[in-house]
Amino acid sequence: MDQNSVYQLFVATYHPDPNVHKQAELNIRNIEANSGFLPIVLQILASEELELGARQAAAIYFKNRLNKAWDGERESAVPINNDDRNMVKQTILQALVTAPNQVQVQLTSTLNTILTNDFPDNWPNFISELERLLTSTDVRLIYVGLLALREVVKVYQWRTGSKREPFRQLIKLTFPVIQTIAAGLVNNDSMEAAEILKLALKIYHAGIQAELPKSLQDPSSLVPWGTLLLQLIEKKIPNEVLPVDADERDRYPWWKTKKWAYHCLNRLFSKYGNPATMPRGTPEYNAFAKQFSANFAPNILQAYLSQIELWIKKEIWIPSKCLALTSSFFADCVKNKTTWQLLKPHVETLVAHFIFPQLCFSDEDQELWDEDPVEFVHKKVDPLEDFHSPQTNAMNFLIDLARDRKKYTFMGILNFVNGVLNKYLEAPQDQKNPREKDGAMCMIGGLSYQVLQKKSPVAGMMEPFFVTHVFPEFKSQHAFLRARACDLTRHFSDLDFNNEQNLATLYQSVIDCIRDGELAVKVQACLALQPMIRHESVRNAMAPNLPFIMQELLNLTNEIDIDTLANVMEEFVEVFAEQLTPFAVQLCTQLRDTFLRIMEELNQNNTLATADDDEFSGDIDELSDKTMAAMGVLKTIGTLILSLESTPEILQQLENALLPVITYTLENKILDLYDEIFEIIDSCTFSAKRVTPTMWSVFELIYGAFKDSGIDYMEEMLPPLDNYISYGKDVFVSNEHVQRMMYDIVDTVMKSDRVGENDRICACKLMESVLLNCRGHVDLCVAPFLNLAFQYIFTGSMKTTEFKVHCIEVVVNCIYYNPALTLRILEENNWTQGFFSLWFNTLSKFSRVHDKKLVIVALCALLELPTDMIPASLQAGWSQILACIVSVFQTLPKAMENRENMEKLYGSFDDDFEDELNGYEIGSGDEEEYEEDEDVPDEDNEYLEYLASQAASHNSDNYTDLEEDEEEMEEEILFESPLDEIDPYVRFEQVFRDMQQNKSGSYTLLTKDLNTEQQNLIMTVLSTAEQHRNAAATATATATH
């Protein structure tokens, strides 16, 4: 096998004749297992004389081959032998030196695969090769050394503890060398120098991403690195060398290098050098932070301020990413007492000339508005889309100033905003600057929380502010100002108007904007209308306009996939359920069509995405936007169904309209939407309290989905499956095919290795549902259900108390369903004694009302059996049955009280939650004031630390002794079962009186061991039963008169 014949095969892989390239690929597959083949491929892609196309083809093959087969632990159809592995490791770094860019990209990815698996143990001489490259005088070798180092860094940068140790040693060894290389290039203006520097900084940044090793904290490292980074920040890039095209300017190599300098300095300060923002769980950096804050941070701040001063004077251009990083650094400086004192004198200038210009509507905004209005809305409305934009970061800096240094900054900022707005108001029409007004309104919108605080000196002025400055812009000739007026309305949704007419004007203005011709205005208007419905007058005014509003929302959803619009629709459907009932079917049909359109587009985009990776130019974000929008539509449909619970004839029409939605999702296995789809099926069957033929056809689809990959969605499937049994009982008991499918679902979940105990609990609940709902009709299920439960009960393989209780309850349900049949099966398998001992010892864990009722009715069913049907093993402990019933009755009142309290809590939860939210928004507790010489703690960090501490305590819990540690099972408030209709007191009274009168022998055996306390308890239960019977009789009599 010589190099030339292999080379010819790779040349043939991009031959225009598809038969030729298919044959070449087959030939490569046939020889790829041969020893020496991979080293030849590496020689081809590294050779400078051969054709670039063939080298690229070889590089892609090489990458894919190693990806699949290098990891020795993964099964590979064609493993790579050791000789080839060693040869590849010996030659890959040299191959990187001669490889052109297009091949280098593939090779570095391949190097990463090798390092992930082999470094350090199986590639011990990698470090010495790296040192040879980095200390060379040849620039090409140095660059490859940095490329290789970057790949090791990628492998290790997120590892922790002892797994990170090789990386710490590597940093110690190589970072001083990199710093020396970089320092020698700072004053060089060539593009090659910029590329090498950028690579060096990316390596440094990855090295400090997760921790700051001791070697980098030492002044001998920090001073030279810090100096280098500041030199890069201050390095002047003359405007005349920058490309004219904005996108190319952003990609200019020296600015990309400078951007990484900003990244590194920001990371050093915010994570390790700023006592105010660094996580409190990292005390090991306290001393470093003190030093850094005092000695380094002021120099960085000074450098950033100098750059911004030049930018303000328009002497230099700064790319948006670097402006965003600057704002982020300034915001951290606000919190730190040392840097705040240095920043303070510049605040006025920064607000007026740095923050404000970035928040004004720009040429780029206008271009995007005109060319791609959908993208404009995504950028401006979806907070995650614009997470790191300069506008978002400038606004965050402004908010930090106003919140954390309120005393010094707040009124100054408001005066500035007021100045801009009054200047606009007073200027002649031809001299007004609408973009400046937009920036000022944007600023006040961002500060709405601070403005509306109880102690705020300006909260009372906001109504006249709206009348003067906001109301006129709803009719502005500038569409972006109409959109901003709506945006401001949303931000100030907690403002209470004293003059009802002003609220009416605001409402009418927002409604008019929903009719606007511009997409961004319409979207902002819909979002502004949503919080306005807290006002009764707005709700009343909206009622006659609802069909129009919902139609507009649907039209917008068809124009732009944005899940916030679906949230608006969902809330309107909930709040205006009654008014929307006449339009429900039409609304549902349109929602269905919208859903199917989004799905079709998703399907087309996915087809592109799964085509050749190298060809797909689609947008992954767009795919997730569409998925989120589809979810939003499904949630609205679900809310609509629940709001129509009292109108069965409309529900039937909705089911028929929705069948294509359910069918499409389940047949095409759109797993991302299973949650919402199962909720819709649950809502349909639950709201109608019956299962229609349409929904029975859906049951087949659910089963099909389950058999494919739906087993992972067992918890989501449980509510609809339970509804099929409880509301579709007539069909269920008469249709063996349906029973077989349901049994297969239960059986699979109880036996599959793929699921956890939570899923098995769902299977236990389904068995219970069958036994409780289909009494007398499913005798054939008893034996298989018992077998499924006992495969866990006696093997001790139940990890959680909850699963243990549910397994036992399967057997208890069988006893209640048919005690004679169940006892016979228990006896045949020698399970009786062991089971009853386990059950009675676990009774304290049967904590919910449902569990206690089940125990009582099952034990009552046993007591009703003729004596000759009771196994001897059970007769011996007969009196214990009554003792168990008594102990359960003893704890039942407390459990019922607990459930009632939870139901009340659940009922009032929405109102309370809303009040709490509103209270929070309006600032029921004003923020703390911080003194000028104090650090301001970072609230985001505090919250993250709280979550981390919760997780840590959760993980450190001792799970070994579940019986002792585990909390009792919680009541399931929304859980309904046939036992809800049974009064356990009355049921026990019937059985007990019957035994007294008709089974004296059995009765004597039963009561012989009762102590006085137990006897008294029984008397209490019997008297409670009498009260309940009398109350029920009175209620019936009242109802019939």
Side-chain angles (χ1 to χ4, degrees):
M1 183 173 49
D2 64 303
Q3 183 179 318
N4 190 46
S5 55
V6 174
Y7 169 65
Q8 293 307 330
L9 285 177
F10 282 109
V11 171
T13 58
Y14 53 95
H15 193 281
D17 182 342
N19 295 321
V20 174
H21 81 229
K22 269 191 184 144
Q23 189 54 51
E25 284 171 6
L26 274 174
N27 292 343
I28 290 170
R29 296 274 175 269
N30 290 336
I31 57 173
E32 68 183 359
N34 294 359
S35 189
F37 178 66
L38 272 181
I40 289 175
V41 176
L42 194 53
Q43 281 169 22
I44 291 167
L45 59 87
S47 166
E48 291 178 270
E49 290 79 48
L50 301 176
E51 205 178 297
L52 179 60
R55 292 167 72 191
Q56 276 182 278
I60 291 167
Y61 165 80
F62 189 71
K63 178 183 83 173
N64 293 337
R65 174 86 174 95
L66 265 72
N67 267 347
K68 284 181 192 150
W70 194 272
D71 182 351
E73 289 178 18
R74 260 171 50 192
E75 283 282 312
S76 171
V78 188
I80 301 170
N81 65 61
N82 284 339
D83 288 348
D84 279 11
R85 284 170 184 266
N86 292 331
M87 184 56 79
V88 164
K89 283 187 283 197
Q90 277 171 37
T91 50
I92 190 166
L93 292 177
Q94 191 51 45
L96 269 167
V97 175
T98 53
N101 270 349
Q102 302 93 314
V103 173
Q104 235 173 29
V105 172
Q106 311 292 346
L107 267 185
T108 49
S109 166
T110 313
L111 179 62
N112 188 286
T113 303
I114 300 172
L115 288 164
T116 302
N117 290 287
D118 287 25
F119 182 77
D121 299 344
N122 297 329
W123 198 352
N125 61 339
F126 174 75
I127 297 284
S128 54
E129 287 187 55
L130 200 56
E131 281 187 295
R132 177 181 64 79
L133 293 167
L134 291 173
T135 50
S136 163
T137 50
D138 182 339
V139 175
R140 280 211 308 180
L141 295 184
I142 292 171
Y143 186 68
V144 167
L146 289 169
L147 279 177
L149 180 56
R150 169 118 174 87
E151 293 311 313
V152 195
V153 167
K154 279 190 201 166
V155 171
Y156 278 91
Q157 77 182 76
W158 298 113
R159 291 191 186 175
T160 53
S162 58
K163 287 184 180 167
R164 196 177 173 86
E165 202 43 52
F167 186 36
R168 293 187 187 109
Q169 296 308 318
L170 193 66
I171 286 175
K172 218 176 197 172
L173 190 69
T174 58
F175 275 38
V177 184
I178 308 172
Q179 194 279 326
T180 308
I181 294 166
L185 295 170
V186 173
N187 298 318
N188 183 329
D189 291 331
S190 71
M191 296 304 131
E192 292 77 11
E195 283 298 330
I196 292 173
L197 268 167
K198 180 180 79 177
L199 195 48
L201 296 193
K202 278 172 120 174
I203 292 167
Y204 183 77
H205 185 262
I208 62 171
Q209 188 81 350
E211 68 165 33
L212 188 64
K214 280 273 187 280
S215 60
L216 297 185
Q217 291 180 37
D218 194 280
S220 64
S221 166
L222 191 65
V223 172
W225 273 107
T227 307
L228 166 73
L229 294 167
L230 286 174
Q231 282 177 308
L232 279 167
I233 297 291
E234 289 163 347
K235 184 178 174 77
K236 195 155 181 357
I237 300 172
N239 284 340
E240 53 273 19
V241 304
L242 291 170
V244 180
D245 179 76
D247 289 341
E248 279 188 38
R249 212 180 315 149
D250 265 340
R251 290 195 292 270
Y252 186 69
W254 274 106
W255 265 117
K256 286 176 89 170
T257 303
K258 282 179 71 122
K259 177 190 78 175
W260 280 101
Y262 280 99
H263 270 307
C264 292
L265 289 169
N266 280 24
R267 189 69 178 169
L268 280 170
F269 185 47
S270 69
K271 185 156 186 188
Y272 312 106
N274 185 351
T277 59
M278 53 191 259
R280 231 175 297 164
T282 52
E284 66 272 27
Y285 299 121
N286 286 353
F288 176 80
K290 243 184 204 163
Q291 287 291 319
F292 194 92
S293 259
N295 304 325
F296 279 87
N299 296 334
I300 304 171
L301 177 58
Q302 203 46 61
Y304 281 25
L305 285 167
S306 303
Q307 291 299 297
I308 293 308
E309 195 181 334
L310 295 169
W311 178 79
I312 290 170
K313 290 177 185 167
K314 298 202 168 19
E315 288 179 23
I316 62 167
W317 172 83
I318 298 181
S320 57
K321 186 72 195 168
C322 295
L323 288 174
L325 288 163
T326 303
S327 290
S328 179
F329 186 84
F330 285 164
D332 285 344
C333 288
V334 171
K335 294 180 174 67
N336 179 300
K337 60 187 179 191
T338 310
T339 48
W340 166 241
Q341 293 303 330
L342 298 170
L343 186 68
K344 201 163 137 185
H346 303 277
V347 166
E348 207 173 312
T349 307
L350 289 172
V351 167
H353 302 290
F354 175 65
I355 295 174
F356 173 61
Q358 293 187 74
L359 297 180
C360 292
F361 194 78
S362 65
D363 289 343
E364 290 80 11
D365 290 334
Q366 188 64 61
E367 191 181 327
L368 191 58
W369 180 297
D370 295 336
E371 290 178 8
D372 192 346
V374 168
E375 181 54 27
F376 179 87
V377 172
H378 274 302
K379 263 191 92 150
K380 297 297 174 184
V381 173
D382 187 343
L384 294 176
E385 286 280 323
D386 221 20
F387 197 55
H388 290 304
S389 76
Q391 289 76 25
T392 306
N393 283 22
M395 180 57 86
N396 289 340
F397 173 34
L398 180 72
I399 292 169
D400 284 353
L401 281 170
R403 183 189 61 202
D404 298 336
R405 303 295 177 186
K406 194 172 194 172
K407 215 183 283 183
Y408 184 81
T409 65
F410 187 54
M411 289 313 294
I413 294 168
L414 294 188
N415 288 335
F416 169 77
V417 170
N418 216 28
V420 175
L421 294 175
N422 285 331
K423 177 184 158 193
Y424 182 88
L425 198 62
E426 290 153 14
Q429 196 57 40
D430 59 338
Q431 288 171 34
K432 289 183 189 292
N433 184 334
R435 291 187 174 189
E436 285 191 353
K437 176 154 191 183
D438 179 70
M441 287 168 78
C442 177
M443 285 170 81
I444 199 83
L447 297 179
S448 58
Y449 177 71
Q450 275 74 26
V451 168
L452 289 179
Q453 292 251 302
K454 276 189 181 165
K455 290 182 191 169
S456 161
V458 291
M461 303 176 198
M462 288 318 291
E463 185 167 351
F465 171 90
F466 256 72
V467 173
T468 308
H469 298 296
V470 182
F471 283 9
E473 300 314 331
F474 283 111
K475 304 264 188 298
S476 170
Q477 67 188 76
H478 305 286
F480 63 83
L481 279 179
R482 300 198 296 274
R484 179 65 66 199
C486 294
D487 178 55
L488 217 56
T489 306
R490 179 167 61 100
H491 275 99
F492 281 92
S493 59
D494 285 320
L495 174 62
D496 287 318
F497 288 87
N498 295 318
N499 182 338
E500 190 66 34
Q501 186 50 49
N502 286 335
L503 180 60
T505 304
L506 186 64
Y507 164 71
Q508 195 50 54
S509 303
V510 171
I511 288 288
D512 291 344
C513 283
I514 292 179
R515 293 187 168 91
D516 200 291
E518 296 286 340
L519 180 69
V521 180
K522 290 160 87 87
V523 171
Q524 289 287 16
C526 288
L527 297 178
L529 188 58
Q530 182 182 14
M532 289 180 79
I533 61 174
R534 73 186 181 90
H535 303 285
E536 191 183 350
S537 61
V538 170
R539 288 199 298 278
N540 294 339
M542 272 178 75
N545 283 318
L546 273 170
F548 155 71
I549 293 168
M550 295 306 287
Q551 190 58 57
E552 281 301 323
L553 278 164
L554 278 163
N555 294 346
L556 282 174
T557 308
N558 280 323
E559 204 172 333
I560 179 167
D561 297 317
I562 182 165
D563 58 327
T564 37
L565 283 176
N567 297 339
V568 178
M569 253 195 298
E570 192 184 353
E571 185 163 355
F572 288 177
V573 164
E574 204 169 334
V575 172
F576 298 105
E578 207 175 308
Q579 294 91 328
L580 284 170
T581 301
F583 315 103
V585 178
Q586 181 193 353
L587 181 57
C588 193
T589 307
Q590 289 181 297
L591 285 164
R592 173 199 70 195
D593 295 343
T594 297
F595 174 82
L596 293 172
R597 173 194 60 78
I598 296 172
M599 285 292 103
E600 199 40 55
E601 288 171 12
L602 253 178
N603 189 30
Q604 286 168 6
N605 289 350
N606 276 326
T607 308
L608 281 173
T610 49
D612 190 346
D613 285 350
D614 297 330
E615 288 173 24
F616 175 59
S617 58
D619 186 347
I620 293 300
D621 284 344
E622 192 189 332
L623 298 187
S624 67
D625 281 341
K626 287 189 183 301
T627 306
M628 292 299 287
M631 269 181 201
V633 172
L634 291 180
K635 282 186 175 139
T636 307
I637 291 172
T639 306
L640 184 63
I641 295 164
L642 289 174
S643 72
L644 295 164
E645 198 171 338
S646 56
T647 51
E649 65 292 343
I650 295 180
L651 278 171
Q652 173 70 60
Q653 291 176 55
L654 289 198
E655 284 181 5
N656 296 334
L658 287 176
L659 190 58
V661 170
I662 298 168
T663 306
Y664 187 96
T665 308
L666 295 178
E667 282 187 348
N668 291 288
K669 306 174 184 61
I670 319 284
L671 302 182
D672 287 342
L673 302 177
Y674 273 17
D675 271 21
E676 285 73 21
I677 278 296
F678 291 130
E679 208 166 301
I680 284 176
I681 299 168
D682 176 30
S683 299
C684 282
T685 44
F686 176 79
S687 296
K689 300 287 185 284
R690 66 195 177 108
V691 181
T692 59
T694 306
M695 294 317 286
W696 274 118
S697 68
V698 168
F699 181 75
E700 299 260 357
L701 294 171
I702 296 178
Y703 179 68
F706 171 84
K707 293 303 282 180
D708 183 78
S709 47
I711 189 168
D712 299 326
Y713 293 84
M714 195 58 210
E715 287 186 62
E716 289 74 20
M717 276 187 190
L718 175 67
L721 290 176
D722 179 48
N723 291 349
Y724 276 105
I725 299 163
S726 51
Y727 301 129
K729 179 168 65 184
D730 296 345
V731 173
F732 187 83
V733 297
S734 60
N735 188 322
E736 279 185 27
H737 177 55
V738 169
Q739 286 179 32
R740 269 199 302 276
M741 287 190 280
M742 190 69 80
Y743 178 74
D744 186 38
I745 290 173
V746 169
D747 187 67
T748 306
V749 174
M750 290 300 279
K751 290 176 177 171
S752 169
D753 295 337
R754 191 166 150 180
V755 300
E757 289 199 344
N758 276 351
D759 300 301
R760 298 199 210 284
I761 287 168
C762 294
C764 291
K765 286 179 177 176
L766 281 180
M767 289 189 263
E768 172 171 89
S769 185
V770 169
L771 293 164
L772 285 177
N773 284 291
C774 308
R775 290 175 66 72
H777 296 285
V778 286
D779 289 14
L780 291 174
C781 288
V782 174
F785 284 1
L786 288 170
N787 283 324
L788 289 174
F790 275 105
Q791 75 179 27
Y792 293 98
I793 287 173
F794 283 159
T795 56
S797 57
M798 301 169 290
K799 295 189 183 73
T800 60
T801 300
E802 197 174 352
F803 182 44
K804 187 175 190 175
V805 168
H806 278 92
C807 276
I808 293 171
E809 284 191 347
V810 171
V811 187
V812 179
N813 270 296
C814 289
I815 292 171
Y816 175 50
Y817 173 83
N818 188 330
L821 172 62
T822 304
L823 285 176
R824 198 183 76 229
I825 297 167
L826 293 181
E827 277 296 285
E828 283 167 7
N829 290 282
N830 290 325
W831 287 336
T832 315
Q833 206 167 350
F835 172 73
F836 277 90
S837 299
L838 177 71
W839 178 19
F840 290 170
N841 287 332
T842 317
L843 267 187
S844 62
K845 303 293 178 192
F846 285 61
S847 53
R848 301 167 307 171
V849 172
H850 175 80
D851 306 322
K852 294 181 188 298
K853 272 189 169 185
L854 181 64
V855 171
I856 292 165
V857 295
L859 289 176
C860 283
L862 277 180
L863 294 180
E864 283 186 314
L865 280 179
T867 314
D868 57 357
M869 284 190 157
I870 310 292
S873 56
L874 201 53
Q875 281 186 20
W878 198 233
S879 60
Q880 211 186 332
I881 288 181
L882 190 55
C884 283
I885 293 179
V886 169
S887 75
V888 174
F889 268 121
Q890 205 168 0
T891 56
L892 181 61
K894 184 79 186 131
M896 288 171 87
E897 185 190 336
N898 174 40
R899 184 181 170 90
E900 277 166 27
N901 289 340
M902 284 184 75
E903 280 170 348
K904 280 181 203 153
L905 202 65
Y906 181 79
S908 63
F909 173 75
D910 285 344
D911 307 335
D912 291 352
F913 187 59
E914 203 116 307
D915 294 346
E916 266 178 49
L917 264 184
N918 290 342
Y920 172 76
E921 280 299 329
I922 300 167
S924 44
D926 276 295
E927 291 153 346
E928 272 183 73
E929 292 279 345
Y930 291 99
E931 291 306 317
E932 296 295 287
D933 57 354
E934 278 187 290
D935 281 336
V936 179
D938 189 320
E939 289 168 10
D940 292 344
N941 264 337
E942 286 184 355
Y943 180 59
L944 291 173
E945 283 161 27
Y946 165 74
L947 291 180
S949 69
Q950 290 296 304
S953 66
H954 191 64
N955 289 338
S956 63
D957 280 351
N958 183 2
Y959 284 123
T960 49
D961 192 358
L962 283 162
E963 293 301 309
E964 294 304 315
D965 291 354
E966 214 172 78
E967 287 181 26
E968 60 181 40
M969 297 193 307
E970 277 204 359
E971 283 289 348
E972 294 171 56
I973 300 302
L974 300 177
F975 173 68
E976 293 181 0
S977 99
L979 288 186
D980 298 345
E981 303 305 313
I982 293 176
D983 183 326
Y985 291 92
V986 174
R987 178 78 185 105
F988 174 73
E989 184 199 33
Q990 288 168 349
V991 174
F992 194 73
R993 297 279 186 227
D994 179 60
M995 286 190 79
Q996 265 180 330
Q997 288 156 21
N998 303 320
K999 298 183 187 167
S1000 54
S1002 187
Y1003 176 77
T1004 310
L1005 261 178
L1006 192 67
T1007 53
K1008 67 181 171 67
D1009 295 330
L1010 288 177
N1011 60 31
T1012 314
E1013 190 190 348
Q1014 289 169 321
Q1015 286 170 359
N1016 290 339
L1017 258 164
I1018 289 176
M1019 296 313 291
T1020 309
V1021 170
L1022 295 174
S1023 120
T1024 307
E1026 195 174 344
Q1027 288 165 22
H1028 286 192
R1029 264 188 303 105
N1030 293 340
T1034 310
T1036 310
T1038 311
T1040 51
H1041 282 307

